[in-house]
């Protein structure tokens, strides 16, 4: 069984697909966030002369985000089977959308489509004159037909039941349950700064948002927004404490990472965190924990109607916009204060140290590395 799970590589294929999906979520998320932040609403269709510019933005972004089950299914199938997996992945994703199997259905369907495409390539034998038709006709047709029908007649119904059960369970949560759930989501969203844990939490949050539960993805994305600002705030706190916690190189990094955080891009902070990994994760994790708990408990599990956008998400939270702002502020304060307190003071003669110069890399001796 262990060998089966290793060979199947469920995690690897899912993370690959999510990495393909994230730029679409970011791009479409910004489009819909801008549209809705300034009063636009998503339309069922854009009829010429019956919509304005902001409604066009909201609708374009919304339609793109509605294709996420298709995108994740295509990404997983492509990761498994390569190019032959694209067509069946796309078809099975559309099938998942059409029967309301949602994001979970898209994930499962992607695996099914990819494996069937591999099986067709491996086991279906054709005459030599027909081999040229395998990648363009035979594999896409057989894999799309079989995986689509499996989704419609076998997978779709139980996935829909599970999704409904999960939705009802989370909708019934209140008070302490929301607080704990938010704390967990906020922590998991930042502890590896966009790595596998973050991507897994993001996939789960998108699954919930597809069912109208917006709190989780809002907690996750506002954590990403606040963390970079929090490390910038740590610089100010450290000055009040008369500590030097950043080298001059890291200060220059902050000048770009903080603005990146405002627009929901946390990766700009990674060079700073990697220089003191444990303390950076502790500070960011505590900030995310507090932010998620505040958001989910005070907003009663509700959140922004868009999955990306940083501060642009706040207007889409309706009457709870102030909760989102409070959660961001709390995260910034906790992350900044904790990091400033636990980070070691850098001696003045080391402030100009370059953390990753090529000269240092050339002189690195692996025999000098000690694992305590």
């Amino acid at each position: 069984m262990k060998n089966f799970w290793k060979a199947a590589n469920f995690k690897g294929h899912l993370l690959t697909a999510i990495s393909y999906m994230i730029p679409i979520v970011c791009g479409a998320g910004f489009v819909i966030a801008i549209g809705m932040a300034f009063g636009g609403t998503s339309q069922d269709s854009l009829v010429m002369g019956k919509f304005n510019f902001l409604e066009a933005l909201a609708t374009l972004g919304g339609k793109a985000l509605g294709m996420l089950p298709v995108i994740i299914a295509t990404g997983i199938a492509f990761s498994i089977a390569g190019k032959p997996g694209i067509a069946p992945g796309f078809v099975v994703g559309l099938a998942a959308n059409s029967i309301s199997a949602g994001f979970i259905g898209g994930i499962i369907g992607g695996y099914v489509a990819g494996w069937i495409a591999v099986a067709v390539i491996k086991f279906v034998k054709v005459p030599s004159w027909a081999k040229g038709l395998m990648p363009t006709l035979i594999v896409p047709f057989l894999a799309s037909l079989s995986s689509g029908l499996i989704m419609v007649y076998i997978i779709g119904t139980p996935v829909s039941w599970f999704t409904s059960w999960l939705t009802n369970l989370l909708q019934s949560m209140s008070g302490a349950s929301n607080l704990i759930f938010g704390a967990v989501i906020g922590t998991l969203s930042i502890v590896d700064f966009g790595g596998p844990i973050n991507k897994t939490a993001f996939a789960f949050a998108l699954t919930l948002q597809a069912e109208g539960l917006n709190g989780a993805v809002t907690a996750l994305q506002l954590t990403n927004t606040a963390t970079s600002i929090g490390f910038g705030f740590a610089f100010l706190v450290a000055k009040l404490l008369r500590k030097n916690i950043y080298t001059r190189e890291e200060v220059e990094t902050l000048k770009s990472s903080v603005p990146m955080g405002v627009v929901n891009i946390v990766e700009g902070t990674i060079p700073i965190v990697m220089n003191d990994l444990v303390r950076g994760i502790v500070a960011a994790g505590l900030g995310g924990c507090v932010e998620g708990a505040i958001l989910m408990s005070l907003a009663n599990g509700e959140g922004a109607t868009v999955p990306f956008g940083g501060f642009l998400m706040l207007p889409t939270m309706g009457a709870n916009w102030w909760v989102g702002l409070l959660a961001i502020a709390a995260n910034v304060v906790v992350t900044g204060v904790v990091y400033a307190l636990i980070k070691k003071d850098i001696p003045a003669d080391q402030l100009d140290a370059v953390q990753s110069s090529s000269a240092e890399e050339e002189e690195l001796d692996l025999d000098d590395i000690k694992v305590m």
Side-chain angles (χ1 to χ4, degrees), residues 11 15 18 21-22 184-206 216-217 219-225 227 264 266-267 308:
K11 177 183 175 182
L15 294 180
I18 292 175
M21 182 185 68
I22 286 177
V184 172
I185 288 292
T187 303
L188 294 179
S189 67
I190 199 61
V191 290
D192 62 347
F193 290 84
I197 298 175
N198 172 275
K199 288 182 172 64
T200 303
F202 184 49
F204 175 68
L206 285 177
V217 75
L220 184 148
Q221 297 293 23
L222 293 188
T223 295
N224 291 339
T225 297
T227 298
N264 212 356
V266 72
E267 284 77 8
F308 192 83

Side-chain angles (χ1 to χ4, degrees), residues 99-182:
I99 61 174
S100 300
F103 198 74
I104 296 178
I107 292 174
I108 298 174
Y111 288 113
V112 172
W115 288 329
I116 290 179
V118 170
V120 172
I121 295 170
K122 187 174 183 179
F123 296 111
V124 174
K125 306 300 180 181
V126 297
S128 57
W129 61 266
K131 288 183 178 179
L133 297 175
M134 280 290 286
T136 58
L137 175 60
I138 298 174
V139 175
F141 170 68
L142 294 179
S144 298
L145 178 66
S146 53
S147 60
L149 292 176
I150 288 173
M151 172 59 66
V152 172
Y153 289 105
I154 300 176
I155 298 176
T157 300
V159 168
S160 297
W161 288 344
F162 172 77
T163 303
S164 297
W165 170 81
L166 181 62
T167 301
N168 293 332
L169 174 65
L170 294 176
Q171 284 177 336
S172 65
M173 292 173 56
S174 61
S177 298
N178 271 328
L179 187 147
I180 295 172
F181 181 54

Side-chain angles (χ1 to χ4, degrees), residues 15-25 71 74-76 78-79:
L15 294 180
T16 298
I18 292 175
S19 69
Y20 295 149
M21 182 185 68
I22 286 177
I24 300 173
V25 173
I71 296 164
T74 305
I76 292 174
F78 174 74
S79 178

Side-chain angles (χ1 to χ4, degrees), residues 67-352:
M67 293 288 288
L68 290 185
V70 181
I71 296 164
I72 195 72
T74 305
I76 292 174
F78 174 74
S79 178
I80 294 172
K83 289 183 179 179
I86 293 176
F90 190 87
V91 170
V92 80
L94 289 174
N97 250 1
S98 64
I99 61 174
S100 300
F103 198 74
I104 296 178
I107 292 174
I108 298 174
Y111 288 113
V112 172
W115 288 329
I116 290 179
V118 170
V120 172
I121 295 170
K122 187 174 183 179
F123 296 111
V124 174
K125 306 300 180 181
V126 297
S128 57
W129 61 266
K131 288 183 178 179
L133 297 175
M134 280 290 286
T136 58
L137 175 60
I138 298 174
V139 175
F141 170 68
L142 294 179
S144 298
L145 178 66
S146 53
S147 60
L149 292 176
I150 288 173
M151 172 59 66
V152 172
Y153 289 105
I154 300 176
I155 298 176
T157 300
V159 168
S160 297
W161 288 344
F162 172 77
T163 303
S164 297
W165 170 81
L166 181 62
T167 301
N168 293 332
L169 174 65
L170 294 176
Q171 284 177 336
S172 65
M173 292 173 56
S174 61
S177 298
N178 271 328
L179 187 147
I180 295 172
F181 181 54
V184 172
I185 288 292
T187 303
L188 294 179
S189 67
I190 199 61
V191 290
D192 62 347
F193 290 84
I197 298 175
N198 172 275
K199 288 182 172 64
T200 303
F202 184 49
F204 175 68
L206 285 177
T207 299
L208 298 183
Q209 187 168 55
E211 302 304 317
L213 301 174
N214 300 318
V217 75
T218 305
L220 184 148
Q221 297 293 23
L222 293 188
T223 295
N224 291 339
T225 297
T227 298
S228 297
I229 303 173
F231 280 98
F233 183 66
F235 176 80
L236 301 179
V237 176
K239 289 300 181 184
L240 293 176
L241 298 175
R242 301 183 182 279
K243 290 178 64 177
N244 294 312
I245 63 172
Y246 295 125
T247 64
R248 289 188 173 87
E249 181 187 19
E250 290 173 329
V251 172
E252 292 301 313
T253 301
L254 282 176
K255 293 177 182 178
S256 60
S257 65
V258 172
M260 289 172 67
V262 172
V263 293
N264 212 356
I265 301 174
V266 72
E267 284 77 8
T269 310
I270 291 177
I272 293 174
V273 175
M274 291 303 295
N275 291 331
D276 197 341
L277 189 60
V278 174
R279 293 180 178 87
I281 289 176
V282 169
L286 288 174
C289 177
V290 171
E291 180 268 330
I294 290 175
L295 181 73
M296 291 292 289
S297 59
L298 294 184
N300 197 29
E302 298 180 2
T305 56
V306 296
F308 192 83
F311 281 91
L312 289 175
M313 298 174 71
L314 298 182
T316 71
M317 294 180 66
N320 291 319
W321 66 268
W322 66 272
V323 178
L325 189 61
L326 175 64
I328 290 175
N331 189 332
V332 169
V333 171
V334 170
T335 300
V337 171
V338 170
Y339 195 65
L341 290 175
I342 66 177
K343 184 75 164 66
K344 290 183 178 179
D345 190 18
I346 300 175
D349 60 347
Q350 296 182 18
L351 291 179
D352 290 321

